[in-house]
Amino acid sequence: MYTILKKQELSSGVKLFAVNAPLIARKCLPGQFVILRIDEDGERIPLTIADFDREAGTITLIFQEVGHSTRQLGAMAEGDALRDLAGPLGKPTHIGHSGTVVCIGGGIGVAPVYPIARAFKQAGNKVISIIGARSTNLLILELEMAAVSDVLHIMTDDGSQGSKGFVTTALKDIIASGEKIDLVMAIGPVIMMRSVADVTKPHGIPTIVSLNPIMVDGTGMCGGCRVSVADKNKFACVDGPEFNAHEVDFEGLMVRQRMYHEQEKLEYAGGGSCKCKR
């Protein structure tokens, strides 16, 4: 039984679950994800593992309620159990001694970037983190990110916390300061990751992004999560989810993410019976 041992609301519509999953907790590494089902008829929901405790046998999942299935997930309580939890899936982040690593998380993307930043810090790197959100009430994991970073920049669109601007604003400032950056890790909305890639590419800074296309089975069988990387088709679930940002076709990815937009809007409004909910 994959019992929810802890439930916490981090910000508006963003929930944290600590789930009993000892086999996954024993094997998972930063960058990997799981796919869960709430019940027998539930949609398969992919979520990156935000933290894990091998001794306690738990993994931490953080998600935003954006559709029917994630709202249903968010309504679950401590003591409830998930029907299925498959993982760890995907290739883990390559953690080495890179030098200075800038870890960027936008919105809910702060959750998966946290264990990556922690692992790079534990490996002896200098970690500069940038986290951003539209406003202060949507920021998550500020204290946790500060604890694993040598420097933490907080950005909000409206300036309600930290500095006003986007995560790319802080990134440009760091580059302009003359700081030698050896690697950038960016996770967040596709448009944010594309903007980060646009900033780093002219400077030749290696940049890795974690992609989140529509995903179904998580094993490379369905092909639903295919993305174009270096003009080749890749499956985010088995070839990724992390890829060289400068080789990703972000425009194609955004088109694929909008494939079920109208059905999702209808379902969210309660007027449909679509099984492609997110």
Side-chain angles (χ1 to χ4, degrees), residues 5 12 60 62-63 66 71 95 102 105 133 135-136 138 140 144 169 269 272 278:
L5 302 178
S12 178
T60 299
I62 296 175
F63 60 95
V66 295
R71 282 185 296 166
I95 305 293
V102 176
S135 61
T136 185
L138 296 174
I140 62 171
E144 289 83 353
T169 307
R278 299 192 70 187

Side-chain angles (χ1 to χ4, degrees), residues 127-247:
V127 174
I128 301 174
S129 295
I130 307 171
I131 62 174
R134 292 194 303 274
S135 61
T136 185
N137 65 310
L138 296 174
L139 278 169
I140 62 171
L141 305 183
E142 304 101 297
L143 296 178
E144 289 83 353
M145 289 298 294
V148 299
S149 307
D150 293 280
V151 181
L152 174 64
H153 298 272
I154 297 176
M155 307 296 297
T156 49
D157 295 0
D158 60 4
S160 54
Q161 186 171 339
S163 300
K164 184 176 182 179
F166 306 121
V167 293
T168 49
T169 307
L171 178 61
K172 290 175 182 176
D173 289 343
I174 294 169
I175 294 172
S177 74
E179 178 85 44
K180 181 182 182 297
I181 301 173
D182 298 287
L183 178 66
V184 170
M185 301 287 305
I187 307 178
V190 174
I191 194 167
M192 183 216 84
M193 294 188 288
R194 183 186 67 178
S195 297
V196 168
D198 289 343
V199 170
T200 59
K201 189 172 183 178
H203 300 279
I205 300 172
T207 303
I208 303 296
V209 291
S210 181
L211 304 185
N212 55 347
I214 293 169
M215 192 176 293
V216 181
D217 72 287
T219 64
M221 297 294 290
C222 73
C225 67
R226 66 183 180 275
V227 293
S228 179
V229 181
D231 295 323
K232 297 180 180 179
N233 279 332
K234 299 288 186 179
F235 296 147
C237 64
V238 291
D239 297 318
E242 296 178 356
F243 297 96
N244 182 339
H246 301 150
E247 297 179 344

Side-chain angles (χ1 to χ4, degrees), residues 5 18-26 52-59:
L5 302 178
V19 181
N20 180 54
L23 295 180
I24 298 175
R26 187 185 308 166
F52 50 87
D53 187 326
R54 302 199 198 283
E55 291 187 6
T58 62
I59 62 171

